[in-house]
Amino acid sequence: MLILATLLVAQLVSFAVVWAVPSPAAPQMSLLDAVQVMGGRAAAPLGLRRWSQANAPAGVDNDWMSAVAAAQLQVPRARVRTVWRRTPDPAVVQVQVIKQGQLLQTGPEQRATVEQALLLPGLRWPAFELAVQQPDGRWSVVGANHSELLQWRRQVLLALLAGAVLLAPPAAWLALRLTRPLRRLADASADLSLQASAPLPMEGPHEVQVLAAAMNAARERLRGQAHDVTRMLAAVAHDLRTPLTGLRLRADSAPPAQAARMVADIERMNAMIEQVLDYARGELEPPVLQPLDIVALLDDCVQSARGRGVVIIATLPAELSWHADALLLRRALDNLIDNAARYAGAVELRVARVGQRLHLEVLDRGPGIAAADRQRLLQPFQRSETSRSRDTGGAGLGLAVAANAAHRHGGELQLLDREDGGLVARLIVAP
């Protein structure tokens, strides 16, 4: 509304300036005025001027008007020319003279009547040029003074330019006042998530503040609902451990063949429950960022993986310190290593500092993940139906846990194709 009001005021100011500029008379002339100015009987009125030029005006001479002017100026007819600049056919003007003069005579009397009508003071025609050749051969010309029209147009343009200059600063100020808060709001909303973070900025025009408040309120509601669902999952997963413990005890008394199958199923269910609990902890518990030795953390992950029977090769630097949550990174790396080992067998672990970010990469030579499925598999409880079949087990939370850990550290989890086949799971951690 403020912008519209400012634009309206600026337009009104411009129109007021233009309205105040006097407009010259329309470029029309009467033959009587031209003859009087040419004969020196009167000064040039508004809209007429007199000048001298070497050649006669170009165009078709109007015989009737030239004859009348020659008679009034008492000069030979051959030395007078009357030319319309913008009327290609003088006969058309002659017809208009007859019509407007209401001349009804015909025959020989018509010309005399037309000549009288042409000298009427109120009879005005489109601008023409009346030229009389002087004894020295030059032509004295009386015609419309277009300079006044050009001057008026120039004044109009200057007035419009002045309006634009007056409008530019407030328009720029209003645009910045509106776009800057919107840009900050857009930048902040790009990083909007359900994790604990600063609310969107409440600044700028009232409409922008209302939008930011609505987005903050919506995020709080969604965060509450997500936490309720996560708490429910954590509670269910935790409560399942008790009956599983009882089943494990009963499996010990079962026949050896059945006991082995029962224990395998129980261990698989325990692993799925542990994944659910890891995901719930990552969602509910805020990250605790503190200085830690990344190399020691990665070496511990490698030794633990080897203890689980994973074939893993690690390329680690001598020393690398970083601010991070050790528990979150450990969960993420364990899930990525187990996934790679489950679907590819051998695993390779790399770490590198790239600019201001830390890249933790888990590489394998497995079937990989189709590009169309990568974003979907980063969501909880999502599994691939092709390269990673359900027969391998799991709850579809491994990648979601790793992605959540990356987001908690201001980074992201990227699933990339490895050269010569395989998958690269790159965990990016911001400082």
Side-chain angles (χ1 to χ4, degrees):
M1 294 300 294
L2 185 59
I3 295 178
L4 292 178
T6 304
L7 293 176
L8 179 60
V9 171
Q11 285 285 35
L12 291 177
V13 170
S14 300
F15 281 121
V17 174
V18 173
W19 186 267
V21 177
S23 174
Q28 291 186 341
M29 298 170 53
S30 76
L31 181 60
L32 180 61
D33 290 340
V35 169
Q36 290 179 347
V37 173
M38 181 65 72
R41 305 170 193 169
L46 180 65
L48 291 183
R49 69 185 182 98
R50 182 176 177 177
W51 69 94
S52 178
Q53 61 187 43
N55 300 319
V60 180
D61 182 32
N62 186 285
D63 180 56
W64 286 0
M65 298 185 70
S66 295
V68 171
Q72 292 292 318
L73 295 172
Q74 298 180 356
V75 295
R77 166 67 182 82
R79 294 169 52 191
V80 179
R81 290 179 62 85
T82 307
V83 177
W84 266 275
R85 286 293 188 182
R86 299 183 181 179
T87 304
D89 186 3
V92 175
V93 179
Q94 294 173 0
V95 172
Q96 293 299 324
V97 170
I98 296 174
K99 289 183 178 179
Q100 294 196 23
Q102 297 181 352
L103 306 175
L104 302 179
Q105 292 84 350
T106 59
E109 298 179 354
Q110 185 186 73
R111 183 180 182 92
T113 307
V114 169
E115 292 176 353
Q116 294 177 4
L118 287 173
L119 292 174
L120 293 176
L123 197 59
R124 306 185 68 84
W125 308 105
F128 58 87
E129 292 181 358
L130 173 62
V132 177
Q133 189 177 28
Q134 303 300 314
D136 59 358
R138 294 182 62 83
W139 289 80
S140 181
V141 185
V142 175
N145 188 6
H146 295 286
S147 61
E148 295 182 1
L149 177 60
L150 295 177
Q151 181 181 3
W152 181 80
R153 290 177 178 173
R154 189 181 304 111
Q155 290 174 336
V156 171
L157 292 177
L158 290 176
L160 293 177
L161 179 61
V165 171
L166 292 175
L167 176 62
W173 177 78
L174 288 173
L176 290 176
R177 185 173 183 271
L178 180 62
T179 56
R180 281 181 178 175
L182 281 176
R183 171 56 59 187
R184 286 192 289 267
L185 181 62
D187 293 340
S189 62
D191 298 329
L192 191 64
S193 67
L194 298 182
Q195 310 296 338
S197 58
L200 297 178
M202 302 281 294
E203 57 184 8
H206 176 69
E207 292 79 2
V208 179
Q209 296 182 19
V210 171
L211 176 60
M215 295 179 68
N216 285 330
R219 182 178 65 170
E220 290 300 324
R221 289 194 299 269
L222 291 174
R223 179 187 297 171
Q225 295 174 3
H227 282 186
D228 290 342
V229 173
T230 304
R231 291 189 187 96
M232 180 187 67
L233 289 175
V236 171
H238 184 272
D239 292 342
L240 283 175
R241 284 186 166 182
T242 301
L244 287 177
T245 302
L247 289 175
R248 179 65 180 269
L249 294 175
R250 293 185 180 88
D252 293 339
S253 60
Q258 296 181 1
R261 290 194 298 270
M262 291 175 63
V263 170
D265 290 340
I266 292 172
E267 291 299 331
R268 187 161 53 250
M269 293 182 67
N270 274 326
M272 295 170 63
I273 291 173
E274 189 63 31
Q275 281 189 338
V276 172
L277 291 176
D278 285 345
Y279 178 76
R281 295 188 193 102
E283 285 289 324
L284 297 176
E285 297 175 1
V288 181
L289 304 180
Q290 57 186 1
L292 57 89
D293 186 358
I294 293 294
V295 176
L297 175 66
L298 296 178
D299 185 68
D300 189 45
C301 290
V302 170
Q303 299 304 325
S304 178
R306 287 172 179 169
R308 298 192 300 272
V310 177
V311 179
I312 182 170
I313 300 174
T315 305
L316 304 178
E319 182 181 357
L320 181 58
S321 298
W322 206 264
H323 276 75
D325 187 313
L327 185 58
L328 281 178
L329 285 186
R330 179 63 184 271
R331 290 172 184 165
L333 290 171
D334 286 345
N335 278 280
L336 293 178
I337 292 173
D338 289 343
N339 279 349
R342 185 180 300 118
Y343 303 115
V347 182
E348 185 176 351
L349 179 63
R350 297 178 185 174
V351 60
R353 181 170 183 170
V354 181
Q356 297 298 320
R357 294 192 167 193
L358 186 67
H359 287 191
L360 303 173
E361 295 182 344
V362 177
L363 306 91
D364 62 53
R365 290 295 183 185
I369 300 177
D373 292 334
R374 291 173 185 173
Q375 289 299 322
R376 178 179 63 84
L377 293 178
L378 294 181
Q379 303 301 318
F381 305 105
Q382 294 292 329
R383 295 178 51 80
S384 175
E385 298 294 339
T386 56
S387 63
R388 308 204 173 214
S389 72
R390 295 179 181 273
D391 296 336
T392 56
L397 287 172
L399 294 178
V401 171
N404 180 62
H407 292 158
R408 289 298 187 95
H409 287 85
E412 60 177 332
L413 176 63
Q414 297 178 346
L415 302 178
L416 309 172
D417 291 325
R418 187 178 183 183
E419 188 176 357
D420 298 329
L423 180 71
V424 178
R426 178 180 294 166
L427 185 68
I428 300 178
V429 180

